[in-house]
Structure formats: C-alpha cells, structure tokens
Amino acid sequence: MRLIECARQAGVTTDTLRHYLRVGLVEADGRTENGYRRFSERTVARVRFIRGSLALGFTLRDAAELVEMGQRGELPCPRARTLLDQRLAEQGRQLDQALRLHRRMQQAVADWKRRPDGVPDGHSVCGLIEGFAPSDAPAKRAHRGADGKS
C-alpha cells in the first residue's frame, strides 16, 4: 500500500507518517515501479503501537526503544513497565506544579478584584502583578553579582 493508505489505516496524517519515517520509527518496505514508497500491514501495526504508546504518556524515544528491543528479540514489556512508572512520577510532579499555579492564579484573581487598576508611572508596568505576593510562590532568589555575593 502507498503512504496515504498506510496513514489512513493507521489513523494518522501523512505528515505524521512522514515524520515517523524521518526519525526512523518506521521504514518503507520498498518502492513501487513508479517510485512510491510501499508499506505493509506490519507498518500499520507499528504506527498503531506508537500512537498507543503516546496515548499512555510514553515519548517517541520510549516507543523507539521498545520497538528496537522487540526487533533484537528482547522482551520490551519489563522496560515498558519501568518507563511508565517513570512517566507516571513525572506526570505527578507536573500535576502538582500545575495545581500550585492554578491556586496562585485563583489567589491573584481574588486579590485583584479588591484593587484598582494602576496608571503606569514609568517605574512599573502593572501594579497588580508587581504587587501580588502569593502565599505559595516559589522563593525569590537573591541576585548574585560577578563576585558571587548578593
């Protein structure tokens, strides 16, 4: 089958399939007489595997690693378990950060409802932002000069 049909059967765009070709995640099975790349059901299955991996939070690099392991005759499932544990922990940290940001935003909205809009005076841009001191904002770092002192 040609690239467009392979992409259609795999549920991706032709651009996605071309990207997977460029980065080496899939390969064409050859070329037709008139030069079109030819793909098989195996490629469709590989693309579906990649898409399933991405849907679970794996990266393209992770998917490539698992595919390569399978091609070498190694069992990729134990590695998939380890990678997913790592991705889950990363996702948890990102979720915690997003929740903290959400709370700061809510706090700012509530605080700003009680404050008037300021007029720029040449020294500040927006007094609402500059005057906001969230309770759980990241600690400010002291600016250090070239000599390493504050």
Side-chain angles (χ1 to χ4, degrees), residues 2-62:
R2 289 182 28 193
L3 185 136
I4 192 167
E5 182 59 27
C6 180
R8 188 177 297 123
Q9 286 188 26
V12 298
T13 65
T14 55
D15 286 341
T16 297
L17 183 52
R18 285 186 187 100
H19 177 70
Y20 292 172
L21 283 162
R22 274 192 306 276
V23 299
L25 286 169
V26 296
E27 295 177 355
D29 295 321
R31 294 211 176 246
T32 62
E33 287 181 16
N34 53 359
Y36 290 108
R37 285 181 283 217
R38 195 171 23 89
F39 299 92
S40 66
E41 290 297 324
R42 183 173 174 221
T43 305
V44 172
R46 171 79 48 85
V47 173
R48 288 179 179 159
F49 170 80
I50 294 165
R51 300 307 287 179
S53 298
L54 295 174
L56 280 169
F58 290 100
T59 65
L60 282 178
R61 182 172 286 144
D62 295 338

Side-chain angles (χ1 to χ4, degrees), residues 99-117 126-137:
L99 288 171
R100 283 193 301 273
L101 174 59
H102 184 78
R103 284 191 295 270
R104 283 193 305 272
M105 292 168 76
Q106 287 177 318
Q107 187 180 356
V109 166
D111 182 54
W112 292 359
K113 286 180 181 178
R114 296 185 301 268
R115 296 177 179 263
D117 292 340
C126 176
L128 293 175
I129 295 172
E130 293 158 348
F132 182 67
S135 59
D136 66 342

Side-chain angles (χ1 to χ4, degrees), residues 84-94:
L84 193 57
D85 283 340
Q86 292 171 358
R87 298 297 167 258
L88 184 60
E90 290 168 15
Q91 189 69 27
R93 286 189 294 274
Q94 291 172 358

